[in-house]
Amino acid sequence: MASRSLSRLALVATGVLLTSLLGGTAGAQAADTPVFWRVPATAAQAQALAAAGFDVEEGEAGTVNVVGGQAVAGKLRALGFRPSFFDTVYKDLPAETNRLAADTFYGGYRTVTAHENHLTQVAAAHPDLATKYTIGQSWKKTKGQGGHDVQAICLTKKQAGDCTLSTTSPKPKFFLMAQIHARELSTGELAWRFIDYLADGYATDATAKSILDTTEVWVVPIANPDGVDIVASGGNSPKLQRKNANNSRGSCTGTNIGVDLNRNSTFKWGGDSNSACSETYQGVSAGSEPEVQALEKLARAIFPDQRGTGDNDPAPSTAKGTMITLHSYGNDIIIPWGFTQATSPNDAQYRRLGAKYAASNGYLVGTNEETVGYDTTGTTDDFTYGVLGVASVTFEVGGSSGTCGGFLPRYTCVDSTFWPKNKGALITAAKAAAAPYQQ
């Protein structure tokens, strides 16, 4: 480990580098500006850092990325780690940013209100194809503090019994969920584009028509609306809110409030952080958060129980239904299990299905251990697979660095990179819904 004097020198040098990279007013505020720090760490050290309240994210082999400003880097050095600057969190914005449409921020990303209006407009414009649902409420709305309904849309060429919250309706189902982690901006935009591709493309696109003639596509574009409100409140410097807005625990402030909704599901809950201010805080009990209750209620309403109760009970080859939960970042397709390093009883089928997704987006297919490098308990895809037998995976959209990397990629990356890469993968998931374990 470097001497204390060398650490001080490295800190000063890093500050100079950040000033150079960020420039102008942002550079003058570099000490308070979050960046990605590359930190050499073992898996056990990474878990300990997360438990201690650091914002720990995926890095390359033998390292993690830690989000924070100079104070965070100083704390890491005080603990004996050697952080080095890896990348900016905020990306340069185009000059026309100040002339954005209403209900957008940070170069064009849509607010919750914009997403709500979009679902209403799609359902009104395509009554033969689209049905909008309110599936629950956000935490703030349950407390009478504003907030939002949690909304979903079902898309199919409607026949009797379609899109009726039924486990016995004749068509197989593909469930797409986005922005359960509020700051992962590209994911809600991908959901928006997939909705429009199907609804607007039905009349002219043979693939879109084939999907909606045979399949129900359920989309929750904003699973964490209160969190997205917090993110968007930062405008061109989005706040890095990951969790929901539940501020009833601890003395957390700023973006440390909330429960990680992707650690709060009722299947295998209880292995993540009990610290209220941690980014992976799991909540006071399994399924304690209203957003999670809404998502699980929807999944149980549209998918039958197709799997046994044991960890090693496979979903049968005849099981129907696919599910993708969109996250960022990492360019990964993560297959179950999350809660353990053991592979799932459908591991071989998952790898075949994942390879079909990867044929479009080029992402790495693997378990948590093979991709992000850490276990996750109480996740939504473990729930839909573990409880219902639905073929469920996580997409980690985008790389770890560069203009199109991290949580806050430039908005233009959605159309230049993320949508072209993932359109085919989402189409594959919809087509596979009838027999995902036979791909």
Side-chain angles (χ1 to χ4, degrees), residues 62-118:
T63 70
V64 293
N65 292 337
V66 177
V67 182
Q70 294 287 7
V72 166
K75 290 177 181 178
L76 288 166
R77 292 188 178 92
L79 293 171
F81 292 94
R82 300 180 65 181
S84 58
F85 172 79
F86 178 65
D87 196 20
T88 58
V89 170
Y90 299 107
K91 311 304 177 184
D92 291 335
L93 297 177
E96 63 269 19
T97 292
N98 292 330
R99 300 190 297 274
L100 291 176
D103 292 324
T104 64
F105 66 103
Y106 191 59
Y109 287 99
R110 271 72 165 228
T111 64
V112 179
T113 298
H115 279 274
E116 292 170 340
N117 292 339
H118 179 235

Side-chain angles (χ1 to χ4, degrees), residues 361-423:
N361 60 25
Y363 292 177
L364 173 67
V365 178
T367 61
N368 273 24
E369 182 181 15
E370 295 165 327
T371 55
V372 296
Y374 51 83
D375 296 341
T376 53
T377 57
T379 62
T380 49
D381 48 345
D382 267 11
F383 169 82
T384 48
Y385 170 61
V387 174
L388 302 172
V390 177
S392 307
V393 303
T394 293
F395 280 14
E396 294 281 0
V397 176
S400 60
S401 62
T403 298
C404 295
F407 304 125
L408 309 179
R410 187 182 293 176
Y411 179 70
T412 54
C413 297
V414 178
D415 286 324
S416 71
T417 304
F418 304 142
W419 175 238
K421 278 181 172 289
N422 286 287
K423 175 183 176 182

Side-chain angles (χ1 to χ4, degrees), residues 287-318:
S288 61
E289 303 310 293
E291 298 92 344
V292 170
Q293 294 165 19
L295 294 168
E296 293 194 357
K297 183 179 179 181
L298 174 62
R300 290 183 185 275
I302 63 176
F303 294 114
D305 185 347
Q306 305 169 102
R307 186 182 167 275
T309 57
D311 292 351
N312 294 319
D313 292 339
S317 62
T318 55

